[in-house]
Amino acid sequence: MKNFKLIVEYDGSAYHGWQRQQNSPTIQGEIENVIRIMTGIRVALIGSGRTDAGVHALGQVANFTCTTRLSPEALLHGLNSLLKKDIVILACSYAEDEFHARYDVRRKIYQYRILNRSVGSAIGRQYEYFIHRRLDIDAMRSAAATFTGTHDFKAFEGSGSPRKSSIRTVFRTELIELPDERLVFEIEADGFLKCMVRNIVGTLVYVGFGKIGPESIKELLLSKTRTLTGPTAPPHGLFLKEVRY
């Protein structure tokens, strides 16, 4: 029995998230099906975590155990030849027997992309949140910095999220201004709650609109009340950038 580690890039536009579902296409389900075609064995593909419907990944990490004689190189090329073009296996390697893609995670980095100008974009519109109203970037950056540290993020958690605790540690937040009036928000933490990044982004947008003051973020965290924070930003601007072990 060998333990294989995958690094996966995917466009989540056509999928109902990472986690396997019986009657809907998912990233996990698609990859498991192709592994079965190649090896003749049904495997349980373990991801570093779930991504919601419509969310993308630049570096999702997954592992599975299998008795196949195929090498990692053969699996890499075979999987990519059979998978749809919106899912690509960037790397395949042997992992230590005890490696677990979800339980061994130390940090994750998410990236959220925003286009902030008066007109939208024909190219790449499915990968960024278009906001035509001018945002106050300095206020958003000030608010974003408040999320660093260890906090209870219950006020930024989506409903129906199975978890033992809503306390997470955020190591870094960064709001980057790019050419063509584009923004990239990056957040690095030891873990994330359901919709946590999208709810943080929605709140930062409200800060950018002047609806919420940047000094109010501490109070919102302490409130543990989702209805007091901003709306959930759409999924298509969100990318799982990197998983660290």
Side-chain angles (χ1 to χ4, degrees):
M1 184 72 70
K2 297 173 183 177
N3 193 10
F4 293 91
K5 176 183 176 182
L6 304 178
I7 299 179
V8 190
E9 178 182 280
Y10 54 84
D11 177 344
S13 302
Y15 299 94
H16 289 249
W18 167 267
Q19 189 175 21
R20 183 194 317 109
Q21 297 181 32
Q22 188 170 2
N23 297 313
S24 300
T26 66
I27 307 298
Q28 180 188 25
E30 292 292 324
I31 299 174
E32 286 180 346
N33 288 340
V34 173
I35 293 173
R36 180 175 54 81
I37 291 171
M38 288 191 67
T39 66
I41 300 170
R42 291 185 179 274
V43 304
L45 185 65
I46 301 166
S48 70
R50 304 171 184 176
T51 52
D52 295 331
V55 174
H56 320 292
L58 303 173
Q60 171 71 286
V61 178
N63 77 288
F64 67 95
T65 56
C66 188
T67 55
T68 182
R69 294 182 179 180
L70 292 171
S71 68
E73 293 79 12
L75 279 169
L76 176 69
H77 294 297
L79 291 173
N80 283 329
S81 69
L82 294 172
L83 284 165
K84 297 175 182 178
K85 300 306 179 185
D86 51 9
I87 304 175
V88 174
I89 309 302
L90 298 177
C92 177
S93 61
Y94 292 124
E96 298 294 331
D97 291 345
E98 63 273 15
F99 174 75
H100 193 285
R102 178 158 50 98
Y103 295 152
D104 293 345
V105 172
R106 297 179 66 86
R107 298 186 181 196
K108 290 183 183 177
I109 302 173
Y110 274 93
Q111 184 182 88
Y112 197 95
R113 302 177 184 180
I114 295 173
L115 174 63
N116 184 212
R117 67 187 190 194
S118 59
V119 295
S121 176
I123 308 300
R125 64 192 181 281
Q126 67 271 44
Y127 306 118
E128 56 191 11
Y129 179 18
F130 169 53
I131 301 174
H132 66 84
R133 181 175 171 182
R134 180 56 52 193
L135 295 167
D136 184 337
I137 308 302
D138 290 337
M140 292 173 67
R141 189 171 282 127
S142 176
T146 310
F147 288 106
T148 59
T150 301
H151 307 286
D152 189 332
F153 283 90
K154 186 174 177 59
F156 296 88
E157 177 183 29
S159 61
S161 177
R163 44 77 177 157
K164 294 181 180 179
S165 170
S166 52
I167 296 175
R168 299 291 185 272
T169 298
V170 172
F171 303 105
R172 176 178 63 89
T173 62
E174 191 172 3
L175 190 61
I176 306 162
E177 294 184 75
L178 299 178
D180 300 324
E181 299 176 285
R182 285 177 164 87
L183 304 172
V184 173
F185 172 66
E186 282 199 0
I187 182 168
E188 180 176 352
D190 61 357
F192 293 89
L193 303 171
K194 182 178 180 181
C195 295
M196 176 175 153
V197 180
R198 292 166 58 198
N199 291 336
I200 286 175
V201 170
T203 301
L204 291 178
V205 169
Y206 264 28
V207 170
F209 288 162
K211 293 183 176 182
I212 296 175
E215 71 284 350
S216 301
I217 300 299
K218 289 183 180 180
E219 296 177 10
L220 294 176
L221 286 164
L222 291 172
S223 75
K224 303 180 185 180
T225 304
R226 175 69 190 100
T227 55
L228 297 179
T229 60
T232 304
H236 63 271
L238 183 60
F239 294 76
L240 173 57
K241 181 182 179 182
E242 184 181 349
V243 184
R244 295 179 177 176
Y245 292 90

